[in-house]
Amino acid sequence: MVDQSLRGFLDDLEARGDLHRITRSVDPRFEIGAILALRDRGPAQLFQNVAGHALPLVGNLFNGRDRIARALGVQAGDLDAHCQEALRRPVPPRIVATAPVQEVVRRQDLDLGRLLPVPHWFEREAAPYITAGVIVAKDPETGRRNVSIARLRLEGGARLLAGIARNHHLAILAEKARSRGRSLEIAVAIGNHAAVLLGSQMYVALGEDEFDIAGGLLGAPVDLVACKTVDLEVPAAAEIVLEGVLDPDQTIPEGPVSEFPGFYVDYGPGIGVEIRCVTQRHDAIYQAILPGLAAEHCLLGAVAIGATLTRDLRRVIPAVRRVFVTEGGMGRLHAVIAMHRPRLGEGKCAALLAFGTVNLLKLITVVDDDIDPEDSRAVEWSLAARFRGHEDLIVLPGVKADRCDPVHENLVVTKVAMVATTRPGDGEPHGRSEFARPPRDILDRVTRDLASY
Ligand code: MN
């Protein structure tokens, strides 16, 4: 039996000294955010005593590729291959009758700010945000499920503001509901297994159920339980679930909110949400993802975007081996594409296809697959050794940008690609890019026996 909760991973972290317990009282207003930010890439942080709250809070859980991999039971180097396998072989969820997440059911006095230790993150944000809420909804037209994460701001009592970009599937479902004169039922699962979190971030088509991908990542069907008040199913092993409706006719001005580039942005109005039921484990742990420019926030997106782009590009251009979305590019904006012996001009095709597939991307470096795209020094070496600026550079001004891009003007941005791959023939013996090495047989023998020297 696969542990589908967060708890097995917390135990695993603790056993390896990678879970830091904070016993002193910590204020959810700015103090938790400050600690998580100062320990952005360090051990996971378990706040056992959140001032004014009964529930503990855990943060900085998935702030490294090695952490995400470990939570999925694979080696760090196998994370991308594991994601490819999950995308290739999704596993549909199964419905279970009883669930830990429904040990406690509350339908009255739903003061979310009192029930949950939701941090107020940054100075200019107007209120606390739920940042690790996995939102489940169904397409009013097709009945197909959608699973995604969006920021949810506490608006007092049982009300929330949902901040959703217009192109996100949840916004499309809300619009479909609105055109039918209805609101959209949602359920928000907080405190999830890495497979559910990462699965929810995969860039799959509308109508593809992200829980199927989560099942692939988990290696077993995700156990779902029917909600108490809405026609939706949620992960049975989650810590907390909020059930309610998203009302697309209810808009709330948001004001400044943090975004992954690290800046405040003002996206205009968000959508109103009314929560009608809260279910939880009796000893629930509240999970938070530090928003803004933070390792976990950037990485969950980076791993998911890289995995889906690798799949999508390879379908069209088999020479593509891997798409790696870099952390320096905030896990969203920059990518390295590794290709195996690309034909002349094929690197440019791959870059253009990536731009066309993921709106967010604006700087792509294409390298040969003898380069590890995770090694930024090797990627730069490729630029020095294989890139001819006058013909390997693509500069595309005025391309539609994502609203998150920090330098977009009127929602367009300049997209740049650098193709730093070997020209066909360049690497051949006596060519100008032949690597200097000892004779092959000697190198092979020494490599084999290296430990004996
Ligand atoms: Mn979707």
Side-chain angles (χ1 to χ4, degrees), residues 23-46:
T23 52
R24 63 176 280 186
S25 173
V26 182
D27 196 336
R29 186 174 162 82
F30 305 132
E31 201 177 6
I32 284 180
I35 295 162
L36 289 178
L38 290 168
R39 293 176 173 161
D40 188 25
R41 285 165 204 280
Q45 305 287 310
L46 180 61

mmCIF file with all atom_site columns, all heavy atoms in Angstrom, residues 23-46:
data_model
loop_
_atom_site.group_PDB
_atom_site.id
_atom_site.type_symbol
_atom_site.label_atom_id
_atom_site.label_alt_id
_atom_site.label_comp_id
_atom_site.label_asym_id
_atom_site.label_entity_id
_atom_site.label_seq_id
_atom_site.pdbx_PDB_ins_code
_atom_site.Cartn_x
_atom_site.Cartn_y
_atom_site.Cartn_z
_atom_site.occupancy
_atom_site.B_iso_or_equiv
_atom_site.pdbx_formal_charge
_atom_site.auth_seq_id
_atom_site.auth_comp_id
_atom_site.auth_asym_id
_atom_site.auth_atom_id
_atom_site.pdbx_PDB_model_num
ATOM 1   N N   . THR A 1 23 ? 9.110  24.950 17.973 1.00 0.00 ? 23 THR A N   1
ATOM 2   C CA  . THR A 1 23 ? 8.159  24.778 19.078 1.00 0.00 ? 23 THR A CA  1
ATOM 3   C C   . THR A 1 23 ? 7.692  26.115 19.654 1.00 0.00 ? 23 THR A C   1
ATOM 4   O O   . THR A 1 23 ? 6.621  26.200 20.221 1.00 0.00 ? 23 THR A O   1
ATOM 5   C CB  . THR A 1 23 ? 8.786  23.940 20.208 1.00 0.00 ? 23 THR A CB  1
ATOM 6   O OG1 . THR A 1 23 ? 10.045 24.528 20.547 1.00 0.00 ? 23 THR A OG1 1
ATOM 7   C CG2 . THR A 1 23 ? 9.006  22.506 19.759 1.00 0.00 ? 23 THR A CG2 1
ATOM 8   N N   . ARG A 1 24 ? 8.516  27.151 19.503 1.00 0.00 ? 24 ARG A N   1
ATOM 9   C CA  . ARG A 1 24 ? 8.098  28.449 20.053 1.00 0.00 ? 24 ARG A CA  1
ATOM 10  C C   . ARG A 1 24 ? 6.923  28.998 19.252 1.00 0.00 ? 24 ARG A C   1
ATOM 11  O O   . ARG A 1 24 ? 6.704  28.631 18.098 1.00 0.00 ? 24 ARG A O   1
ATOM 12  C CB  . ARG A 1 24 ? 9.257  29.453 20.079 1.00 0.00 ? 24 ARG A CB  1
ATOM 13  C CG  . ARG A 1 24 ? 9.793  29.803 18.701 1.00 0.00 ? 24 ARG A CG  1
ATOM 14  C CD  . ARG A 1 24 ? 10.863 30.881 18.784 1.00 0.00 ? 24 ARG A CD  1
ATOM 15  N NE  . ARG A 1 24 ? 10.286 32.211 18.912 1.00 0.00 ? 24 ARG A NE  1
ATOM 16  C CZ  . ARG A 1 24 ? 10.994 33.339 18.887 1.00 0.00 ? 24 ARG A CZ  1
ATOM 17  N NH1 . ARG A 1 24 ? 12.313 33.279 18.764 1.00 0.00 ? 24 ARG A NH1 1
ATOM 18  N NH2 . ARG A 1 24 ? 10.414 34.508 18.992 1.00 0.00 ? 24 ARG A NH2 1
ATOM 19  N N   . SER A 1 25 ? 6.162  29.894 19.873 1.00 0.00 ? 25 SER A N   1
ATOM 20  C CA  . SER A 1 25 ? 4.992  30.468 19.214 1.00 0.00 ? 25 SER A CA  1
ATOM 21  C C   . SER A 1 25 ? 5.442  31.391 18.075 1.00 0.00 ? 25 SER A C   1
ATOM 22  O O   . SER A 1 25 ? 6.348  32.201 18.234 1.00 0.00 ? 25 SER A O   1
ATOM 23  C CB  . SER A 1 25 ? 4.179  31.254 20.247 1.00 0.00 ? 25 SER A CB  1
ATOM 24  O OG  . SER A 1 25 ? 3.146  31.951 19.593 1.00 0.00 ? 25 SER A OG  1
ATOM 25  N N   . VAL A 1 26 ? 4.825  31.210 16.918 1.00 0.00 ? 26 VAL A N   1
ATOM 26  C CA  . VAL A 1 26 ? 5.170  32.029 15.751 1.00 0.00 ? 26 VAL A CA  1
ATOM 27  C C   . VAL A 1 26 ? 3.900  32.666 15.189 1.00 0.00 ? 26 VAL A C   1
ATOM 28  O O   . VAL A 1 26 ? 2.870  32.009 15.055 1.00 0.00 ? 26 VAL A O   1
ATOM 29  C CB  . VAL A 1 26 ? 5.868  31.189 14.656 1.00 0.00 ? 26 VAL A CB  1
ATOM 30  C CG1 . VAL A 1 26 ? 6.263  32.068 13.484 1.00 0.00 ? 26 VAL A CG1 1
ATOM 31  C CG2 . VAL A 1 26 ? 7.094  30.480 15.222 1.00 0.00 ? 26 VAL A CG2 1
ATOM 32  N N   . ASP A 1 27 ? 3.983  33.944 14.872 1.00 0.00 ? 27 ASP A N   1
ATOM 33  C CA  . ASP A 1 27 ? 2.844  34.702 14.368 1.00 0.00 ? 27 ASP A CA  1
ATOM 34  C C   . ASP A 1 27 ? 2.631  34.394 12.878 1.00 0.00 ? 27 ASP A C   1
ATOM 35  O O   . ASP A 1 27 ? 3.566  34.537 12.085 1.00 0.00 ? 27 ASP A O   1
ATOM 36  C CB  . ASP A 1 27 ? 3.130  36.197 14.556 1.00 0.00 ? 27 ASP A CB  1
ATOM 37  C CG  . ASP A 1 27 ? 1.867  37.045 14.431 1.00 0.00 ? 27 ASP A CG  1
ATOM 38  O OD1 . ASP A 1 27 ? 0.903  36.588 13.773 1.00 0.00 ? 27 ASP A OD1 1
ATOM 39  O OD2 . ASP A 1 27 ? 1.855  38.159 14.990 1.00 0.00 ? 27 ASP A OD2 1
ATOM 40  N N   . PRO A 1 28 ? 1.403  33.985 12.504 1.00 0.00 ? 28 PRO A N   1
ATOM 41  C CA  . PRO A 1 28 ? 1.160  33.743 11.079 1.00 0.00 ? 28 PRO A CA  1
ATOM 42  C C   . PRO A 1 28 ? 1.204  35.045 10.268 1.00 0.00 ? 28 PRO A C   1
ATOM 43  O O   . PRO A 1 28 ? 1.302  35.009 9.040  1.00 0.00 ? 28 PRO A O   1
ATOM 44  C CB  . PRO A 1 28 ? -0.247 33.124 11.046 1.00 0.00 ? 28 PRO A CB  1
ATOM 45  C CG  . PRO A 1 28 ? -0.895 33.525 12.323 1.00 0.00 ? 28 PRO A CG  1
ATOM 46  C CD  . PRO A 1 28 ? 0.215  33.705 13.328 1.00 0.00 ? 28 PRO A CD  1
ATOM 47  N N   . ARG A 1 29 ? 1.114  36.174 10.968 1.00 0.00 ? 29 ARG A N   1
ATOM 48  C CA  . ARG A 1 29 ? 1.187  37.461 10.283 1.00 0.00 ? 29 ARG A CA  1
ATOM 49  C C   . ARG A 1 29 ? 2.659  37.822 10.075 1.00 0.00 ? 29 ARG A C   1
ATOM 50  O O   . ARG A 1 29 ? 3.354  38.232 11.005 1.00 0.00 ? 29 ARG A O   1
ATOM 51  C CB  . ARG A 1 29 ? 0.452  38.521 11.117 1.00 0.00 ? 29 ARG A CB  1
ATOM 52  C CG  . ARG A 1 29 ? 0.324  39.871 10.439 1.00 0.00 ? 29 ARG A CG  1
ATOM 53  C CD  . ARG A 1 29 ? -0.546 40.795 11.282 1.00 0.00 ? 29 ARG A CD  1
ATOM 54  N NE  . ARG A 1 29 ? -0.375 42.183 10.920 1.00 0.00 ? 29 ARG A NE  1
ATOM 55  C CZ  . ARG A 1 29 ? -0.984 42.773 9.890  1.00 0.00 ? 29 ARG A CZ  1
ATOM 56  N NH1 . ARG A 1 29 ? -1.811 42.085 9.130  1.00 0.00 ? 29 ARG A NH1 1
ATOM 57  N NH2 . ARG A 1 29 ? -0.765 44.039 9.623  1.00 0.00 ? 29 ARG A NH2 1
ATOM 58  N N   . PHE A 1 30 ? 3.166  37.592 8.883  1.00 0.00 ? 30 PHE A N   1
ATOM 59  C CA  . PHE A 1 30 ? 4.512  37.939 8.401  1.00 0.00 ? 30 PHE A CA  1
ATOM 60  C C   . PHE A 1 30 ? 5.654  37.113 9.000  1.00 0.00 ? 30 PHE A C   1
ATOM 61  O O   . PHE A 1 30 ? 6.676  36.911 8.337  1.00 0.00 ? 30 PHE A O   1
ATOM 62  C CB  . PHE A 1 30 ? 4.815  39.433 8.612  1.00 0.00 ? 30 PHE A CB  1
ATOM 63  C CG  . PHE A 1 30 ? 3.783  40.345 7.997  1.00 0.00 ? 30 PHE A CG  1
ATOM 64  C CD1 . PHE A 1 30 ? 3.233  41.402 8.706  1.00 0.00 ? 30 PHE A CD1 1
ATOM 65  C CD2 . PHE A 1 30 ? 3.330  40.119 6.696  1.00 0.00 ? 30 PHE A CD2 1
ATOM 66  C CE1 . PHE A 1 30 ? 2.281  42.235 8.130  1.00 0.00 ? 30 PHE A CE1 1
ATOM 67  C CE2 . PHE A 1 30 ? 2.380  40.946 6.111  1.00 0.00 ? 30 PHE A CE2 1
ATOM 68  C CZ  . PHE A 1 30 ? 1.851  42.010 6.835  1.00 0.00 ? 30 PHE A CZ  1
ATOM 69  N N   . GLU A 1 31 ? 5.513  36.613 10.242 1.00 0.00 ? 31 GLU A N   1
ATOM 70  C CA  . GLU A 1 31 ? 6.645  35.933 10.873 1.00 0.00 ? 31 GLU A CA  1
ATOM 71  C C   . GLU A 1 31 ? 6.915  34.568 10.227 1.00 0.00 ? 31 GLU A C   1
ATOM 72  O O   . GLU A 1 31 ? 8.073  34.213 9.948  1.00 0.00 ? 31 GLU A O   1
ATOM 73  C CB  . GLU A 1 31 ? 6.392  35.784 12.381 1.00 0.00 ? 31 GLU A CB  1
ATOM 74  C CG  . GLU A 1 31 ? 7.672  35.575 13.168 1.00 0.00 ? 31 GLU A CG  1
ATOM 75  C CD  . GLU A 1 31 ? 7.471  35.506 14.676 1.00 0.00 ? 31 GLU A CD  1
ATOM 76  O OE1 . GLU A 1 31 ? 6.314  35.504 15.156 1.00 0.00 ? 31 GLU A OE1 1
ATOM 77  O OE2 . GLU A 1 31 ? 8.484  35.445 15.392 1.00 0.00 ? 31 GLU A OE2 1
ATOM 78  N N   . ILE A 1 32 ? 5.851  33.808 9.976  1.00 0.00 ? 32 ILE A N   1
ATOM 79  C CA  . ILE A 1 32 ? 6.035  32.506 9.310  1.00 0.00 ? 32 ILE A CA  1
ATOM 80  C C   . ILE A 1 32 ? 6.663  32.709 7.937  1.00 0.00 ? 32 ILE A C   1
ATOM 81  O O   . ILE A 1 32 ? 7.613  32.008 7.557  1.00 0.00 ? 32 ILE A O   1
ATOM 82  C CB  . ILE A 1 32 ? 4.675  31.759 9.199  1.00 0.00 ? 32 ILE A CB  1
ATOM 83  C CG1 . ILE A 1 32 ? 4.304  31.189 10.563 1.00 0.00 ? 32 ILE A CG1 1
ATOM 84  C CG2 . ILE A 1 32 ? 4.750  30.650 8.140  1.00 0.00 ? 32 ILE A CG2 1
ATOM 85  C CD1 . ILE A 1 32 ? 2.992  30.428 10.581 1.00 0.00 ? 32 ILE A CD1 1
ATOM 86  N N   . GLY A 1 33 ? 6.159  33.695 7.203  1.00 0.00 ? 33 GLY A N   1
ATOM 87  C CA  . GLY A 1 33 ? 6.698  33.980 5.867  1.00 0.00 ? 33 GLY A CA  1
ATOM 88  C C   . GLY A 1 33 ? 8.178  34.337 5.925  1.00 0.00 ? 33 GLY A C   1
ATOM 89  O O   . GLY A 1 33 ? 8.964  33.921 5.066  1.00 0.00 ? 33 GLY A O   1
ATOM 90  N N   . ALA A 1 34 ? 8.551  35.129 6.940  1.00 0.00 ? 34 ALA A N   1
ATOM 91  C CA  . ALA A 1 34 ? 9.956  35.542 7.068  1.00 0.00 ? 34 ALA A CA  1
ATOM 92  C C   . ALA A 1 34 ? 10.848 34.328 7.307  1.00 0.00 ? 34 ALA A C   1
ATOM 93  O O   . ALA A 1 34 ? 11.920 34.195 6.700  1.00 0.00 ? 34 ALA A O   1
ATOM 94  C CB  . ALA A 1 34 ? 10.100 36.541 8.217  1.00 0.00 ? 34 ALA A CB  1
ATOM 95  N N   . ILE A 1 35 ? 10.401 33.413 8.171  1.00 0.00 ? 35 ILE A N   1
ATOM 96  C CA  . ILE A 1 35 ? 11.217 32.230 8.482  1.00 0.00 ? 35 ILE A CA  1
ATOM 97  C C   . ILE A 1 35 ? 11.339 31.319 7.252  1.00 0.00 ? 35 ILE A C   1
ATOM 98  O O   . ILE A 1 35 ? 12.434 30.857 6.912  1.00 0.00 ? 35 ILE A O   1
ATOM 99  C CB  . ILE A 1 35 ? 10.610 31.464 9.680  1.00 0.00 ? 35 ILE A CB  1
ATOM 100 C CG1 . ILE A 1 35 ? 10.691 32.338 10.940 1.00 0.00 ? 35 ILE A CG1 1
ATOM 101 C CG2 . ILE A 1 35 ? 11.328 30.138 9.901  1.00 0.00 ? 35 ILE A CG2 1
ATOM 102 C CD1 . ILE A 1 35 ? 9.780  31.902 12.062 1.00 0.00 ? 35 ILE A CD1 1
ATOM 103 N N   . LEU A 1 36 ? 10.218 31.093 6.581  1.00 0.00 ? 36 LEU A N   1
ATOM 104 C CA  . LEU A 1 36 ? 10.273 30.232 5.390  1.00 0.00 ? 36 LEU A CA  1
ATOM 105 C C   . LEU A 1 36 ? 11.180 30.844 4.326  1.00 0.00 ? 36 LEU A C   1
ATOM 106 O O   . LEU A 1 36 ? 11.918 30.140 3.633  1.00 0.00 ? 36 LEU A O   1
ATOM 107 C CB  . LEU A 1 36 ? 8.865  29.993 4.830  1.00 0.00 ? 36 LEU A CB  1
ATOM 108 C CG  . LEU A 1 36 ? 7.952  29.092 5.681  1.00 0.00 ? 36 LEU A CG  1
ATOM 109 C CD1 . LEU A 1 36 ? 6.565  28.976 5.043  1.00 0.00 ? 36 LEU A CD1 1
ATOM 110 C CD2 . LEU A 1 36 ? 8.553  27.701 5.865  1.00 0.00 ? 36 LEU A CD2 1
ATOM 111 N N   . ALA A 1 37 ? 11.148 32.172 4.187  1.00 0.00 ? 37 ALA A N   1
ATOM 112 C CA  . ALA A 1 37 ? 11.982 32.832 3.176  1.00 0.00 ? 37 ALA A CA  1
ATOM 113 C C   . ALA A 1 37 ? 13.461 32.750 3.549  1.00 0.00 ? 37 ALA A C   1
ATOM 114 O O   . ALA A 1 37 ? 14.313 32.482 2.698  1.00 0.00 ? 37 ALA A O   1
ATOM 115 C CB  . ALA A 1 37 ? 11.556 34.285 3.006  1.00 0.00 ? 37 ALA A CB  1
ATOM 116 N N   . LEU A 1 38 ? 13.774 32.946 4.826  1.00 0.00 ? 38 LEU A N   1
ATOM 117 C CA  . LEU A 1 38 ? 15.176 32.900 5.249  1.00 0.00 ? 38 LEU A CA  1
ATOM 118 C C   . LEU A 1 38 ? 15.734 31.480 5.181  1.00 0.00 ? 38 LEU A C   1
ATOM 119 O O   . LEU A 1 38 ? 16.947 31.283 5.104  1.00 0.00 ? 38 LEU A O   1
ATOM 120 C CB  . LEU A 1 38 ? 15.316 33.466 6.670  1.00 0.00 ? 38 LEU A CB  1
ATOM 121 C CG  . LEU A 1 38 ? 15.088 34.985 6.754  1.00 0.00 ? 38 LEU A CG  1
ATOM 122 C CD1 . LEU A 1 38 ? 14.940 35.442 8.195  1.00 0.00 ? 38 LEU A CD1 1
ATOM 123 C CD2 . LEU A 1 38 ? 16.244 35.735 6.070  1.00 0.00 ? 38 LEU A CD2 1
ATOM 124 N N   . ARG A 1 39 ? 14.849 30.476 5.210  1.00 0.00 ? 39 ARG A N   1
ATOM 125 C CA  . ARG A 1 39 ? 15.282 29.078 5.104  1.00 0.00 ? 39 ARG A CA  1
ATOM 126 C C   . ARG A 1 39 ? 14.725 28.447 3.832  1.00 0.00 ? 39 ARG A C   1
ATOM 127 O O   . ARG A 1 39 ? 14.343 27.281 3.803  1.00 0.00 ? 39 ARG A O   1
ATOM 128 C CB  . ARG A 1 39 ? 14.802 28.301 6.336  1.00 0.00 ? 39 ARG A CB  1
ATOM 129 C CG  . ARG A 1 39 ? 15.505 28.771 7.602  1.00 0.00 ? 39 ARG A CG  1
ATOM 130 C CD  . ARG A 1 39 ? 14.974 28.068 8.827  1.00 0.00 ? 39 ARG A CD  1
ATOM 131 N NE  . ARG A 1 39 ? 15.779 28.425 10.002 1.00 0.00 ? 39 ARG A NE  1
ATOM 132 C CZ  . ARG A 1 39 ? 15.369 28.278 11.248 1.00 0.00 ? 39 ARG A CZ  1
ATOM 133 N NH1 . ARG A 1 39 ? 14.173 27.776 11.514 1.00 0.00 ? 39 ARG A NH1 1
ATOM 134 N NH2 . ARG A 1 39 ? 16.149 28.622 12.247 1.00 0.00 ? 39 ARG A NH2 1
ATOM 135 N N   . ASP A 1 40 ? 14.727 29.242 2.774  1.00 0.00 ? 40 ASP A N   1
ATOM 136 C CA  . ASP A 1 40 ? 14.080 28.883 1.511  1.00 0.00 ? 40 ASP A CA  1
ATOM 137 C C   . ASP A 1 40 ? 14.512 27.522 0.980  1.00 0.00 ? 40 ASP A C   1
ATOM 138 O O   . ASP A 1 40 ? 13.716 26.754 0.484  1.00 0.00 ? 40 ASP A O   1
ATOM 139 C CB  . ASP A 1 40 ? 14.397 29.981 0.490  1.00 0.00 ? 40 ASP A CB  1
ATOM 140 C CG  . ASP A 1 40 ? 13.628 29.825 -0.803 1.00 0.00 ? 40 ASP A CG  1
ATOM 141 O OD1 . ASP A 1 40 ? 12.547 29.207 -0.778 1.00 0.00 ? 40 ASP A OD1 1
ATOM 142 O OD2 . ASP A 1 40 ? 14.106 30.315 -1.836 1.00 0.00 ? 40 ASP A OD2 1
ATOM 143 N N   . ARG A 1 41 ? 15.815 27.241 1.040  1.00 0.00 ? 41 ARG A N   1
ATOM 144 C CA  . ARG A 1 41 ? 16.323 25.986 0.479  1.00 0.00 ? 41 ARG A CA  1
ATOM 145 C C   . ARG A 1 41 ? 16.764 25.007 1.561  1.00 0.00 ? 41 ARG A C   1
ATOM 146 O O   . ARG A 1 41 ? 17.411 24.005 1.281  1.00 0.00 ? 41 ARG A O   1
ATOM 147 C CB  . ARG A 1 41 ? 17.492 26.272 -0.472 1.00 0.00 ? 41 ARG A CB  1
ATOM 148 C CG  . ARG A 1 41 ? 17.002 26.835 -1.789 1.00 0.00 ? 41 ARG A CG  1
ATOM 149 C CD  . ARG A 1 41 ? 18.111 27.451 -2.605 1.00 0.00 ? 41 ARG A CD  1
ATOM 150 N NE  . ARG A 1 41 ? 17.543 28.436 -3.518 1.00 0.00 ? 41 ARG A NE  1
ATOM 151 C CZ  . ARG A 1 41 ? 16.957 28.119 -4.660 1.00 0.00 ? 41 ARG A CZ  1
ATOM 152 N NH1 . ARG A 1 41 ? 16.899 26.868 -5.052 1.00 0.00 ? 41 ARG A NH1 1
ATOM 153 N NH2 . ARG A 1 41 ? 16.430 29.059 -5.421 1.00 0.00 ? 41 ARG A NH2 1
ATOM 154 N N   . GLY A 1 42 ? 16.414 25.307 2.799  1.00 0.00 ? 42 GLY A N   1
ATOM 155 C CA  . GLY A 1 42 ? 16.840 24.439 3.886  1.00 0.00 ? 42 GLY A CA  1
ATOM 156 C C   . GLY A 1 42 ? 15.834 23.346 4.186  1.00 0.00 ? 42 GLY A C   1
ATOM 157 O O   . GLY A 1 42 ? 14.955 23.044 3.386  1.00 0.00 ? 42 GLY A O   1
ATOM 158 N N   . PRO A 1 43 ? 15.968 22.744 5.383  1.00 0.00 ? 43 PRO A N   1
ATOM 159 C CA  . PRO A 1 43 ? 15.041 21.694 5.811  1.00 0.00 ? 43 PRO A CA  1
ATOM 160 C C   . PRO A 1 43 ? 13.586 22.169 5.797  1.00 0.00 ? 43 PRO A C   1
ATOM 161 O O   . PRO A 1 43 ? 13.334 23.371 5.904  1.00 0.00 ? 43 PRO A O   1
ATOM 162 C CB  . PRO A 1 43 ? 15.481 21.411 7.253  1.00 0.00 ? 43 PRO A CB  1
ATOM 163 C CG  . PRO A 1 43 ? 16.868 21.908 7.360  1.00 0.00 ? 43 PRO A CG  1
ATOM 164 C CD  . PRO A 1 43 ? 16.990 23.042 6.393  1.00 0.00 ? 43 PRO A CD  1
ATOM 165 N N   . ALA A 1 44 ? 12.677 21.225 5.672  1.00 0.00 ? 44 ALA A N   1
ATOM 166 C CA  . ALA A 1 44 ? 11.257 21.558 5.799  1.00 0.00 ? 44 ALA A CA  1
ATOM 167 C C   . ALA A 1 44 ? 11.021 22.111 7.200  1.00 0.00 ? 44 ALA A C   1
ATOM 168 O O   . ALA A 1 44 ? 11.707 21.739 8.152  1.00 0.00 ? 44 ALA A O   1
ATOM 169 C CB  . ALA A 1 44 ? 10.416 20.317 5.560  1.00 0.00 ? 44 ALA A CB  1
ATOM 170 N N   . GLN A 1 45 ? 10.062 23.014 7.330  1.00 0.00 ? 45 GLN A N   1
ATOM 171 C CA  . GLN A 1 45 ? 9.816  23.698 8.604  1.00 0.00 ? 45 GLN A CA  1
ATOM 172 C C   . GLN A 1 45 ? 8.425  23.336 9.114  1.00 0.00 ? 45 GLN A C   1
ATOM 173 O O   . GLN A 1 45 ? 7.434  23.584 8.429  1.00 0.00 ? 45 GLN A O   1
ATOM 174 C CB  . GLN A 1 45 ? 9.906  25.217 8.402  1.00 0.00 ? 45 GLN A CB  1
ATOM 175 C CG  . GLN A 1 45 ? 11.219 25.697 7.777  1.00 0.00 ? 45 GLN A CG  1
ATOM 176 C CD  . GLN A 1 45 ? 12.391 25.628 8.736  1.00 0.00 ? 45 GLN A CD  1
ATOM 177 O OE1 . GLN A 1 45 ? 12.311 26.113 9.862  1.00 0.00 ? 45 GLN A OE1 1
ATOM 178 N NE2 . GLN A 1 45 ? 13.492 25.017 8.291  1.00 0.00 ? 45 GLN A NE2 1
ATOM 179 N N   . LEU A 1 46 ? 8.390  22.757 10.323 1.00 0.00 ? 46 LEU A N   1
ATOM 180 C CA  . LEU A 1 46 ? 7.106  22.409 10.937 1.00 0.00 ? 46 LEU A CA  1
ATOM 181 C C   . LEU A 1 46 ? 6.860  23.342 12.127 1.00 0.00 ? 46 LEU A C   1
ATOM 182 O O   . LEU A 1 46 ? 7.561  23.260 13.143 1.00 0.00 ? 46 LEU A O   1
ATOM 183 C CB  . LEU A 1 46 ? 7.111  20.946 11.384 1.00 0.00 ? 46 LEU A CB  1
ATOM 184 C CG  . LEU A 1 46 ? 5.825  20.437 12.040 1.00 0.00 ? 46 LEU A CG  1
ATOM 185 C CD1 . LEU A 1 46 ? 4.625  20.539 11.093 1.00 0.00 ? 46 LEU A CD1 1
ATOM 186 C CD2 . LEU A 1 46 ? 5.983  18.995 12.512 1.00 0.00 ? 46 LEU A CD2 1
#
